[in-house]
Amino acid sequence: MLILQASMQFMATLACGIFAGAAIYINAVEHPARMSCGTLIAATEWAPSYKRATWMQAPLAVSGFSFALIAWLAGAGPGWLIGSVLLGLVVPFTFLAIMPVNKRLLSPDLDKGSEEARQLLKRWNRLHAVRSVLSAWALVIFLLNF
C-alpha cells in the first residue's frame, strides 16, 4: 500500500506541477504578449492557443486530481484530499465560469477587433488566473505533504 501511495503522490505532484506551471505561464507571459499585439491579433491567436492548451491542461487536471485522491484513499494525509479538491475544482470552474467566455470568443459573429473582444479577453485572463491560483495552492499543499 505504501508503494501505491508514494507513486500516486509523485504522479499527482508531477501532474499538478505541470498544470500549475502552464497555467501561470499563460497568465504571466502568453496572454500579456498576445494582448500587446492588439485586440484583433490577440483574439485571432487566442482560439488556436486555447484549443491546443485544452488538450494538455484538461488531462493534467483530471489525472492530478485522481492521483491525489487515490493517494489519500491509500492512506496519505488529509493534505492530499485538500490538494485533490483544489486541483479538481479547476474543471467545474472552467465549465461554469470560463466556458461562456470561451464560447463567445470562438463565436464566428464576434468582431475580433472590437471593444467587446478586448473585454472578453481581459475577462478570460482574470478567470484563468483562478485556475492558476487553485493549481498553485494544490501544488504547495502536495509539496508540503510529500
Side-chain angles (χ1 to χ4, degrees), residues 12 14-16 18-20 22 55-65 87:
L14 179 63
C16 185
I18 295 170
F19 182 96
W55 287 105
M56 178 186 154
Q57 289 194 295
L60 287 169
V62 171
S63 63
F65 162 80
L87 184 57

Side-chain angles (χ1 to χ4, degrees), residues 61-62 64-66 82-94 134 138:
V62 171
F65 162 80
S66 300
I82 294 166
S84 175
V85 169
L86 287 172
L87 184 57
L89 281 173
V90 303
V91 175
F93 180 78
T94 299
L134 287 170

Side-chain angles (χ1 to χ4, degrees), residues 31-49 105 112 117-118 121:
H31 195 72
R34 112 177 17 116
M35 292 300 287
S36 74
C37 296
T39 303
L40 176 63
I41 291 172
T44 302
E45 188 277 339
W46 178 89
S49 176
L105 281 167
K112 290 186 177 6
R118 189 176 77 75
L121 287 165

Side-chain angles (χ1 to χ4, degrees), residues 66-144:
S66 300
F67 291 140
L69 188 60
I70 293 168
W72 175 71
L73 291 170
W80 292 94
L81 177 60
I82 294 166
S84 175
V85 169
L86 287 172
L87 184 57
L89 281 173
V90 303
V91 175
F93 180 78
T94 299
F95 282 111
L96 296 173
I98 301 177
M99 195 61 69
V101 176
N102 292 353
K103 286 183 179 185
R104 184 65 186 133
L105 281 167
L106 293 170
S107 175
D109 67 325
L110 175 68
D111 175 359
K112 290 186 177 6
S114 68
E115 179 62 21
E116 178 190 9
R118 189 176 77 75
Q119 290 302 320
L120 285 165
L121 287 165
K122 286 175 65 176
R123 178 167 172 74
W124 179 88
N125 193 50
R126 286 191 307 272
L127 291 169
H128 189 272
V130 173
R131 294 166 40 102
S132 296
V133 169
L134 287 170
S135 60
W137 283 347
L139 180 60
V140 168
I141 290 169
F142 291 162
L143 291 171
L144 292 174

Side-chain angles (χ1 to χ4, degrees), residues 18-34:
I18 295 170
F19 182 96
I24 293 166
Y25 171 84
I26 289 167
N27 280 117
V29 179
E30 182 181 345
H31 195 72
R34 112 177 17 116

